Amino acid sequence: SQQGEEDPQALSIQEGENATMNCSYKTSINNLQWYRQNSGRGLVHLILIRSNEREKHSGRLRVTLDTSKKSSSLLITASRAADTASYFCATAHDMGRRALTFGSGTRLQVQP
Amino acid sequence: NAGVMQNPRHLVRRRGQEARLRCSPMKGHSHVYWYRQLPEEGLKFMVYLQKENIIDESGMPKERFSAEFPKEGPSILRIQQVVRGDSAAYFCASSPGQADYGYTFGSGTRLTVV
């Protein structure tokens, strides 16, 4: 089964509003990453947060990580129509040489 | 820096044929990962390779699928005797190391089996 599960599966908001997406995972991690995918395109890396970090910012993005609850959230502030995409969390295991495990994604629609 | 290059972008194969998907990682990246994505779904891990070595192939079907990353040239994902269920988008990603690095993804190869 997928390591990360995003919530909600789909989100529709108006331009200018904030969008919050959540991710839960099951095992211990080294880091957690968020990616964006526009329809029909490859994924683009947005931000990486390490297991010893609790919050990280990058432009309009804010990511939190709660390792005790095995959960993370991605906040996009002042959303734009161009933010319309699918957003995926991905977890890096803390043991062994393993590739990232991706969740099922949140489809964000920002209405202009 | 051209990024991760995948080709072809679209590939149509008849049932029973072979599909070869190519991936050239970003310059300086020695770790390559292959993922499969069905419409409206997330990415499912297939295989993780370094030059001339398969590190983790736990996501690869036991039959018909193979992958390589030779000393020279691109990484190849090979699917023999394709079936309709193999139709999907196949994404390749690369990274310079294994820990604490984000992945750079290619644009994918969309395989359609008819």
Side-chain angles (χ1 to χ4, degrees), chain A residues 14 31 37 64 75 81 84 86:
Chain A
Q14 296 293 319
N31 66 69
Q37 183 182 35
T64 62
L75 168 68
T84 295
S86 291

Side-chain angles (χ1 to χ4, degrees), chain A:
Chain A
S1 63
Q2 288 285 348
Q3 164 77 320
E5 294 296 332
E6 285 89 341
D7 168 55
Q9 289 188 325
L11 180 62
S12 182
I13 61 174
Q14 296 293 319
E15 212 166 20
E17 293 181 336
N18 295 341
T20 300
M21 289 159 267
N22 303 297
C23 168
S24 60
Y25 58 93
K26 296 176 182 173
T27 64
S28 295
I29 61 170
N30 177 277
N31 66 69
L32 185 145
Q33 305 179 26
W34 285 90
Y35 288 78
R36 164 195 168 125
Q37 183 182 35
N38 287 84
S39 181
R41 308 291 294 274
L43 278 71
V44 175
H45 179 254
L46 295 175
I47 195 164
L48 180 155
I49 185 165
R50 294 182 175 79
S51 59
N52 62 353
E53 297 176 312
R54 292 296 166 259
E55 188 171 312
K56 204 161 184 179
H57 297 254
S58 176
R60 294 185 295 114
L61 305 180
R62 173 179 170 253
V63 169
T64 62
L65 179 63
D66 187 334
T67 53
S68 67
K69 294 181 179 177
K70 291 187 166 59
S71 67
S72 173
S73 68
L74 170 68
L75 168 68
I76 304 174
T77 60
S79 63
R80 305 166 182 168
D83 293 329
T84 295
S86 291
Y87 292 83
F88 296 90
C89 71
T91 49
H93 295 264
D94 65 350
M95 291 184 68
R97 302 181 71 187
R98 305 278 300 274
L100 292 177
T101 302
F102 284 82
S104 50
T106 292
R107 287 184 295 283
L108 173 66
Q109 176 78 40
V110 181
Q111 307 284 353

Side-chain angles (χ1 to χ4, degrees), chain B residues 41-61:
Chain B
E41 293 190 8
L43 274 71
K44 295 203 185 300
F45 167 72
M46 299 184 73
V47 62
Y48 163 23
L49 310 105
Q50 271 189 283
K51 282 288 186 183
E52 300 184 276
N53 288 304
I54 296 175
I55 306 302
D56 180 1
E57 56 181 346
S58 58
M60 287 271 275

